[in-house]
Amino acid sequence: MVFWEGYVSDEVMGTFAPIVVYWLYAGIFQLLPPLDNYRLHTRKEEDAKNSVPLGSVVKGVLLQQVVQAAVAHLLFLVTSETGLVGTEIQPSVLIQVVQIIIAMFVMDTWQYFVHRYMHMNKFLYRHIHSQHHKLVVPYAIGALYNHPLEGLLLDTVGGAISFLISGMTARTAVIFFCFAVVKTVDDHCGLWLPGNLFHLFFQNNTAYHDIHHQLHGLKYNFSQPFFPIWDKLLGTHMPYDLIKRPEGGFEARLSKD
């Protein structure tokens, strides 16, 4: 039993809930005070290094989400037999957990190799992936600021493949896609907040991905959004030390080990 049962279908929730969750979670970060003591980059760095205004970032994210919603709608239309407020038999909680774990590894695998190729191929990086790296200092709302083609191939198709291979139902997909969105936004938030559970349970976190956004880390730490497994297996893992800055905040520096 879920709170939307009887009101909208799992397919509708799977299409639109991740978008709503994205703006709610990213919006929380946007509304926070400066929190200079927890930033990985100073506000001065953010203003100086980022080459795209917030308005353009918002438009880019919304465009990706329109495409994402269209693909999700078609995916659920093909794979589901439920109606507007219909339901289907759900597997046990254990099976759903296993399906989510499978989906996490599938998404990580897809995103690692596509992401890495977009860095290694000069044409793709220059004309497509470099748009995301215009945000040298990442922030939450810019988590899905991508070239439309990259948004389709990396995120939307990656999500669809994860859904299909894992065999999850639309209801389980709501949980998985919303979790993936929250994790992606958190990885780009630029803040090292105390008690952040993602920082405690995931090595692939805000500081890990921040390294990748810097010039010295462009060809490292490709793994996203969950685990650094492929980076470690294929030699693209760049460890870091989190250093407290005298003026406040933190800095993710290359590890000396």
Side-chain angles (χ1 to χ4, degrees):
M1 182 72 177
V2 288
F3 69 86
W4 63 82
E5 190 169 338
Y7 298 97
V8 295
S9 68
D10 296 335
E11 291 76 17
V12 171
M13 284 296 292
T15 300
F16 294 106
I19 297 173
V20 174
V21 167
Y22 181 94
W23 290 106
L24 287 175
Y25 194 56
I28 290 172
F29 283 109
Q30 190 69 20
L31 294 174
L32 287 174
L35 297 177
D36 291 331
N37 288 332
Y38 302 103
R39 293 176 64 96
L40 294 177
H41 297 272
T42 65
R43 286 177 286 170
K44 184 177 180 180
E45 282 183 285
E46 182 176 323
D47 293 338
K49 293 183 177 182
N50 289 351
S51 59
V52 58
L54 178 61
S56 297
V57 171
V58 170
K59 291 177 184 177
V61 173
L62 287 172
L63 175 59
Q64 173 167 332
Q65 289 175 331
V66 168
V67 176
Q68 171 188 312
V71 172
H73 175 70
L74 290 174
L75 181 67
F76 290 135
L77 194 65
V78 170
T79 60
S80 177
E81 298 179 355
T82 63
L84 182 62
V85 294
T87 59
E88 59 183 311
I89 297 175
Q90 302 297 319
S92 68
V93 172
L94 177 60
I95 290 177
Q96 291 182 68
V97 169
V98 171
Q99 289 172 333
I100 288 173
I101 293 173
I102 291 171
M104 291 168 75
F105 280 102
V106 172
M107 180 174 283
D108 271 3
T109 301
W110 176 266
Q111 294 213 2
Y112 176 86
F113 287 101
V114 175
H115 185 195
R116 181 175 178 175
Y117 186 68
M118 284 189 174
H119 274 270
M120 298 300 136
N121 185 297
K122 293 181 179 179
F123 178 86
L124 290 178
Y125 183 81
R126 184 181 303 114
H127 296 284
I128 296 177
H129 188 56
S130 62
Q131 178 170 325
H132 183 69
H133 282 275
K134 288 181 180 179
L135 298 180
V136 178
V137 178
Y139 55 83
I141 284 180
L144 291 183
Y145 177 65
N146 301 308
H147 186 282
L149 183 58
E150 176 181 351
L152 175 63
L153 291 177
L154 191 66
D155 298 312
T156 306
V157 172
I161 292 174
S162 302
F163 170 77
L164 293 171
I165 291 180
S166 67
M168 64 176 58
T169 64
R171 181 168 297 183
T172 307
V174 175
I175 299 169
F176 171 66
F177 289 139
C178 287
F179 178 68
V181 161
V182 170
K183 178 66 169 61
T184 300
V185 169
D186 203 89
D187 287 348
H188 289 82
C189 73
L191 295 171
W192 194 260
L193 295 172
N196 187 320
L197 295 178
F198 290 120
H199 299 166
L200 294 174
F201 292 103
F202 290 90
Q203 292 181 356
N204 188 345
N205 52 41
T206 309
Y208 186 91
H209 192 66
D210 181 77
I211 290 288
H212 175 71
H213 271 259
Q214 308 313 305
L215 183 61
H216 56 263
L218 280 177
K219 294 187 178 181
Y220 297 91
N221 293 9
F222 298 114
S223 293
Q224 58 184 45
F226 300 111
F227 309 110
I229 295 172
W230 288 111
D231 277 324
K232 291 184 176 182
L233 287 175
L234 298 179
T236 55
H237 176 254
M238 181 177 281
Y240 64 89
D241 294 317
L242 203 61
I243 308 298
K244 181 76 173 176
R245 291 195 302 261
E247 67 274 20
F250 297 90
E251 180 181 351
R253 294 180 184 175
L254 305 188
S255 177
K256 296 180 181 179
D257 298 332

